[in-house]
Amino acid sequence: MQSTQTIDRTEAAPVGRPGLYAVSLNALPWVMFLLALAAAGTFAYLWQTSVGSQAAESELRAEARRFVLALTNFGSRTIEDDVDEIRSFASGSFATEVDELFGQETIAAIEKAEATSTGRVEKIFVQEIDGRSASVFAVVSEEVSNKNITEP
């Protein structure tokens, strides 16, 4: 006679919690996903900050260039408009200085001497950006002439 024996495999498996190693392997893909997500978020934030600061610095350079060119380019025929353009950039104590420097006597002297000034920006350096204020350094070549000077 033949006998058959059945083995219940559920009883053969160990009873209890899986080991720490088994839990770690199951969580590893999720941990890696969360780390990759955090890295991507950090990279996106740093990229936006960098692009934003580069755009702000570029805009600051352009505005500084316009200001320096307004300050160093004027002529006896257009001096009233030139001074108005310089004033458009002025605020605070600089506005007072512009009014003092380019008063009616100075304007009349520039017109009488047929003076011209031609400035060319060589380089602009952004030294510091701090909130709503900034410090910029410009290197400018300027030629000044009038009816009494033979060479600029």
Side-chain angles (χ1 to χ4, degrees):
M1 174 159 161
Q2 238 181 352
S3 80
T4 56
Q5 191 175 10
T6 331
I7 299 175
D8 185 4
R9 294 199 187 270
T10 56
E11 289 179 21
V15 179
R17 296 185 301 172
L20 179 61
Y21 184 71
V23 171
S24 300
L25 286 178
N26 290 336
L28 184 63
W30 288 105
V31 170
M32 295 301 287
F33 171 74
L34 291 175
L35 287 173
L37 187 62
T42 302
F43 177 77
Y45 171 77
L46 292 173
W47 179 268
Q48 286 297 332
T49 303
S50 172
V51 168
S53 67
Q54 288 173 354
E57 191 170 313
S58 179
E59 185 178 328
L60 178 61
R61 271 197 188 95
E63 189 67 13
R65 180 177 300 279
R66 284 190 293 275
F67 169 67
V68 169
L69 290 174
L71 191 61
T72 59
N73 287 277
F74 57 86
S76 59
R77 294 182 183 163
T78 58
I79 189 63
E80 295 280 345
D81 292 335
D82 297 335
V83 171
D84 287 342
E85 186 177 4
I86 294 168
R87 278 192 187 108
S88 73
F89 288 97
S91 64
S93 63
F94 181 64
T96 305
E97 291 174 23
V98 169
D99 289 337
E100 290 172 2
L101 178 62
F102 289 106
Q104 287 305 317
E105 289 178 18
T106 305
I107 290 174
I110 290 171
E111 290 172 334
K112 184 179 177 182
E114 298 176 9
T116 61
S117 172
T118 305
R120 189 178 79 240
V121 177
E122 300 292 336
K123 191 73 173 166
I124 293 183
F125 302 95
V126 175
Q127 294 179 314
E128 180 181 12
I129 299 176
D130 185 23
R132 294 184 45 95
S133 65
S135 177
V136 179
F137 180 81
V139 177
V140 180
S141 296
E142 184 177 17
E143 287 186 358
V144 179
S145 64
N146 65 43
K147 67 180 182 180
N148 298 323
I149 300 175
T150 57
E151 284 189 41

PDB file of all heavy atoms in Angstrom, residues 87-101:
ATOM      1  N   ARG A  87      18.580 114.391 -15.235  1.00  0.00           N
ATOM      2  CA  ARG A  87      17.660 114.533 -14.083  1.00  0.00           C
ATOM      3  C   ARG A  87      16.724 113.334 -13.965  1.00  0.00           C
ATOM      4  O   ARG A  87      16.312 112.984 -12.863  1.00  0.00           O
ATOM      5  CB  ARG A  87      16.836 115.809 -14.227  1.00  0.00           C
ATOM      6  CG  ARG A  87      17.541 117.035 -13.768  1.00  0.00           C
ATOM      7  CD  ARG A  87      16.579 118.234 -13.667  1.00  0.00           C
ATOM      8  NE  ARG A  87      17.340 119.419 -13.390  1.00  0.00           N
ATOM      9  CZ  ARG A  87      17.565 120.402 -14.262  1.00  0.00           C
ATOM     10  NH1 ARG A  87      17.033 120.358 -15.464  1.00  0.00           N
ATOM     11  NH2 ARG A  87      18.294 121.434 -13.916  1.00  0.00           N
ATOM     12  N   SER A  88      16.371 112.723 -15.092  1.00  0.00           N
ATOM     13  CA  SER A  88      15.453 111.576 -15.041  1.00  0.00           C
ATOM     14  C   SER A  88      16.057 110.400 -14.269  1.00  0.00           C
ATOM     15  O   SER A  88      15.333 109.552 -13.766  1.00  0.00           O
ATOM     16  CB  SER A  88      15.059 111.136 -16.452  1.00  0.00           C
ATOM     17  OG  SER A  88      16.127 110.472 -17.105  1.00  0.00           O
ATOM     18  N   PHE A  89      17.364 110.366 -14.151  1.00  0.00           N
ATOM     19  CA  PHE A  89      18.041 109.313 -13.400  1.00  0.00           C
ATOM     20  C   PHE A  89      18.269 109.704 -11.945  1.00  0.00           C
ATOM     21  O   PHE A  89      18.585 108.852 -11.120  1.00  0.00           O
ATOM     22  CB  PHE A  89      19.407 108.988 -14.025  1.00  0.00           C
ATOM     23  CG  PHE A  89      19.337 108.256 -15.321  1.00  0.00           C
ATOM     24  CD1 PHE A  89      19.425 108.948 -16.517  1.00  0.00           C
ATOM     25  CD2 PHE A  89      19.185 106.878 -15.355  1.00  0.00           C
ATOM     26  CE1 PHE A  89      19.372 108.280 -17.730  1.00  0.00           C
ATOM     27  CE2 PHE A  89      19.127 106.202 -16.556  1.00  0.00           C
ATOM     28  CZ  PHE A  89      19.222 106.907 -17.756  1.00  0.00           C
ATOM     29  N   ALA A  90      18.144 110.984 -11.644  1.00  0.00           N
ATOM     30  CA  ALA A  90      18.562 111.505 -10.334  1.00  0.00           C
ATOM     31  C   ALA A  90      17.492 111.305  -9.264  1.00  0.00           C
ATOM     32  O   ALA A  90      16.302 111.424  -9.526  1.00  0.00           O
ATOM     33  CB  ALA A  90      18.901 112.988 -10.458  1.00  0.00           C
ATOM     34  N   SER A  91      17.978 111.013  -8.072  1.00  0.00           N
ATOM     35  CA  SER A  91      17.112 110.944  -6.897  1.00  0.00           C
ATOM     36  C   SER A  91      17.960 111.296  -5.675  1.00  0.00           C
ATOM     37  O   SER A  91      19.190 111.271  -5.735  1.00  0.00           O
ATOM     38  CB  SER A  91      16.505 109.542  -6.736  1.00  0.00           C
ATOM     39  OG  SER A  91      17.516 108.597  -6.499  1.00  0.00           O
ATOM     40  N   GLY A  92      17.308 111.646  -4.611  1.00  0.00           N
ATOM     41  CA  GLY A  92      18.010 111.947  -3.366  1.00  0.00           C
ATOM     42  C   GLY A  92      18.987 113.092  -3.504  1.00  0.00           C
ATOM     43  O   GLY A  92      18.721 114.093  -4.167  1.00  0.00           O
ATOM     44  N   SER A  93      20.147 112.948  -2.886  1.00  0.00           N
ATOM     45  CA  SER A  93      21.154 114.014  -2.906  1.00  0.00           C
ATOM     46  C   SER A  93      21.726 114.238  -4.304  1.00  0.00           C
ATOM     47  O   SER A  93      22.134 115.352  -4.642  1.00  0.00           O
ATOM     48  CB  SER A  93      22.282 113.703  -1.919  1.00  0.00           C
ATOM     49  OG  SER A  93      22.946 112.521  -2.294  1.00  0.00           O
ATOM     50  N   PHE A  94      21.722 113.195  -5.138  1.00  0.00           N
ATOM     51  CA  PHE A  94      22.227 113.374  -6.500  1.00  0.00           C
ATOM     52  C   PHE A  94      21.325 114.333  -7.289  1.00  0.00           C
ATOM     53  O   PHE A  94      21.811 115.104  -8.121  1.00  0.00           O
ATOM     54  CB  PHE A  94      22.362 112.043  -7.223  1.00  0.00           C
ATOM     55  CG  PHE A  94      22.896 112.173  -8.614  1.00  0.00           C
ATOM     56  CD1 PHE A  94      24.176 112.660  -8.842  1.00  0.00           C
ATOM     57  CD2 PHE A  94      22.122 111.827  -9.709  1.00  0.00           C
ATOM     58  CE1 PHE A  94      24.683 112.802 -10.130  1.00  0.00           C
ATOM     59  CE2 PHE A  94      22.614 111.954 -10.997  1.00  0.00           C
ATOM     60  CZ  PHE A  94      23.896 112.445 -11.208  1.00  0.00           C
ATOM     61  N   ALA A  95      20.026 114.307  -7.047  1.00  0.00           N
ATOM     62  CA  ALA A  95      19.112 115.230  -7.724  1.00  0.00           C
ATOM     63  C   ALA A  95      19.473 116.674  -7.386  1.00  0.00           C
ATOM     64  O   ALA A  95      19.471 117.543  -8.259  1.00  0.00           O
ATOM     65  CB  ALA A  95      17.668 114.930  -7.338  1.00  0.00           C
ATOM     66  N   THR A  96      19.815 116.923  -6.127  1.00  0.00           N
ATOM     67  CA  THR A  96      20.236 118.261  -5.708  1.00  0.00           C
ATOM     68  C   THR A  96      21.538 118.646  -6.393  1.00  0.00           C
ATOM     69  O   THR A  96      21.702 119.780  -6.863  1.00  0.00           O
ATOM     70  CB  THR A  96      20.405 118.312  -4.172  1.00  0.00           C
ATOM     71  OG1 THR A  96      19.184 117.870  -3.571  1.00  0.00           O
ATOM     72  CG2 THR A  96      20.729 119.699  -3.689  1.00  0.00           C
ATOM     73  N   GLU A  97      22.481 117.710  -6.470  1.00  0.00           N
ATOM     74  CA  GLU A  97      23.765 117.972  -7.125  1.00  0.00           C
ATOM     75  C   GLU A  97      23.582 118.294  -8.610  1.00  0.00           C
ATOM     76  O   GLU A  97      24.262 119.177  -9.140  1.00  0.00           O
ATOM     77  CB  GLU A  97      24.699 116.772  -6.963  1.00  0.00           C
ATOM     78  CG  GLU A  97      25.174 116.559  -5.547  1.00  0.00           C
ATOM     79  CD  GLU A  97      25.973 115.276  -5.377  1.00  0.00           C
ATOM     80  OE1 GLU A  97      26.521 114.773  -6.389  1.00  0.00           O
ATOM     81  OE2 GLU A  97      26.052 114.779  -4.253  1.00  0.00           O
ATOM     82  N   VAL A  98      22.680 117.579  -9.277  1.00  0.00           N
ATOM     83  CA  VAL A  98      22.428 117.837 -10.699  1.00  0.00           C
ATOM     84  C   VAL A  98      21.894 119.259 -10.870  1.00  0.00           C
ATOM     85  O   VAL A  98      22.341 120.001 -11.754  1.00  0.00           O
ATOM     86  CB  VAL A  98      21.439 116.809 -11.298  1.00  0.00           C
ATOM     87  CG1 VAL A  98      20.960 117.232 -12.682  1.00  0.00           C
ATOM     88  CG2 VAL A  98      22.078 115.436 -11.360  1.00  0.00           C
ATOM     89  N   ASP A  99      20.945 119.643 -10.018  1.00  0.00           N
ATOM     90  CA  ASP A  99      20.384 120.996 -10.105  1.00  0.00           C
ATOM     91  C   ASP A  99      21.446 122.056  -9.853  1.00  0.00           C
ATOM     92  O   ASP A  99      21.455 123.100 -10.514  1.00  0.00           O
ATOM     93  CB  ASP A  99      19.222 121.160  -9.118  1.00  0.00           C
ATOM     94  CG  ASP A  99      17.991 120.374  -9.547  1.00  0.00           C
ATOM     95  OD1 ASP A  99      17.863 120.086 -10.761  1.00  0.00           O
ATOM     96  OD2 ASP A  99      17.162 120.047  -8.676  1.00  0.00           O
ATOM     97  N   GLU A 100      22.360 121.785  -8.905  1.00  0.00           N
ATOM     98  CA  GLU A 100      23.419 122.750  -8.611  1.00  0.00           C
ATOM     99  C   GLU A 100      24.454 122.807  -9.739  1.00  0.00           C
ATOM    100  O   GLU A 100      24.873 123.878 -10.165  1.00  0.00           O
ATOM    101  CB  GLU A 100      24.109 122.400  -7.293  1.00  0.00           C
ATOM    102  CG  GLU A 100      23.244 122.634  -6.070  1.00  0.00           C
ATOM    103  CD  GLU A 100      23.866 122.092  -4.783  1.00  0.00           C
ATOM    104  OE1 GLU A 100      25.005 121.563  -4.838  1.00  0.00           O
ATOM    105  OE2 GLU A 100      23.212 122.174  -3.738  1.00  0.00           O
ATOM    106  N   LEU A 101      24.867 121.657 -10.234  1.00  0.00           N
ATOM    107  CA  LEU A 101      25.894 121.602 -11.266  1.00  0.00           C
ATOM    108  C   LEU A 101      25.389 122.147 -12.594  1.00  0.00           C
ATOM    109  O   LEU A 101      26.083 122.900 -13.278  1.00  0.00           O
ATOM    110  CB  LEU A 101      26.408 120.168 -11.455  1.00  0.00           C
ATOM    111  CG  LEU A 101      27.455 119.976 -12.545  1.00  0.00           C
ATOM    112  CD1 LEU A 101      28.716 120.774 -12.222  1.00  0.00           C
ATOM    113  CD2 LEU A 101      27.781 118.512 -12.716  1.00  0.00           C
TER     114      LEU A 101
END
